[in-house]
Amino acid sequence: MLTLADIGFDAAGDLLSRHGLALSRVPDGQAIPGSFWGDCEAGLIGCTVYARADTPVHSLLHEASHLIVMPPERRAAVHTDATDSVPEEDAACYLQILLADALPGVGRDRLLADMDAWGYSFRLGSARAWFEGDAEDARAFLATRGLVAGA
């Protein structure tokens, strides 16, 4: 599982800032504020994503994607649980895969493998199969928000 210790915080922070988000580094061993899953998983409060060096990259990108896809008026109030709907969850999964290509040393192939290893579940059996063959609705959701080109 690729972690922020493997890629560093700078590129991830730059990527988030391009989307109006902040990345807050949590000291090793401390609880991550706003983490839905606990342990080393990223957390979110408002427009800030919290992570430690042992936070998986897929977790950071997933939580950031939730903030990016949600309407701006909800961002300020979000704390820990960002999911508003199944379509929004699917859009966050799709966007995190796209964002992985913007991080040096990550890319979608590695992220898809880590998503499967972590336990994301999709009808077609893998993150790649879903992304390539069953994610039209997620792509359309992102297109309506101007986050990807129209389908």
Side-chain angles (χ1 to χ4, degrees):
M1 193 79 46
L2 197 63
T3 67
L4 284 168
D6 298 319
I7 68 164
F9 278 77
D10 292 342
D14 291 344
L15 176 61
L16 270 59
S17 70
R18 291 196 300 264
H19 293 279
L21 306 176
L23 174 58
S24 179
R25 184 173 186 167
V26 177
D28 294 344
Q30 288 191 10
I32 298 175
S35 178
F36 183 82
W37 295 103
D39 296 324
C40 60
E41 299 296 322
L44 50 84
I45 300 172
C47 293
T48 302
V49 179
Y50 296 85
R52 293 190 311 232
D54 64 339
T55 296
V57 173
H58 75 82
S59 178
L60 170 84
L61 292 177
H62 187 79
E63 297 306 324
S65 293
H66 269 298
L67 293 174
I68 294 166
V69 304
M70 75 174 47
E73 61 273 10
R74 279 190 35 231
R75 282 186 192 171
V78 74
H79 192 302
T80 308
D81 187 1
T83 300
D84 185 48
S85 65
V86 170
E88 193 172 283
E89 179 69 30
D90 290 347
C93 286
Y94 194 94
L95 184 58
Q96 81 185 81
I97 296 164
L98 297 179
L99 292 176
D101 287 337
L103 289 176
V106 183
R108 73 181 59 181
D109 290 337
R110 177 58 192 261
L111 194 81
L112 289 165
D114 283 359
M115 289 171 73
D116 288 341
W118 187 85
Y120 287 72
S121 61
F122 297 97
R123 282 190 307 229
L124 298 181
S126 73
R128 179 179 300 284
W130 170 79
F131 181 77
E132 294 176 352
D134 191 34
E136 299 85 10
D137 53 342
R139 185 168 178 75
F141 184 101
L142 294 170
T144 64
R145 286 176 168 66
L147 296 168
V148 297

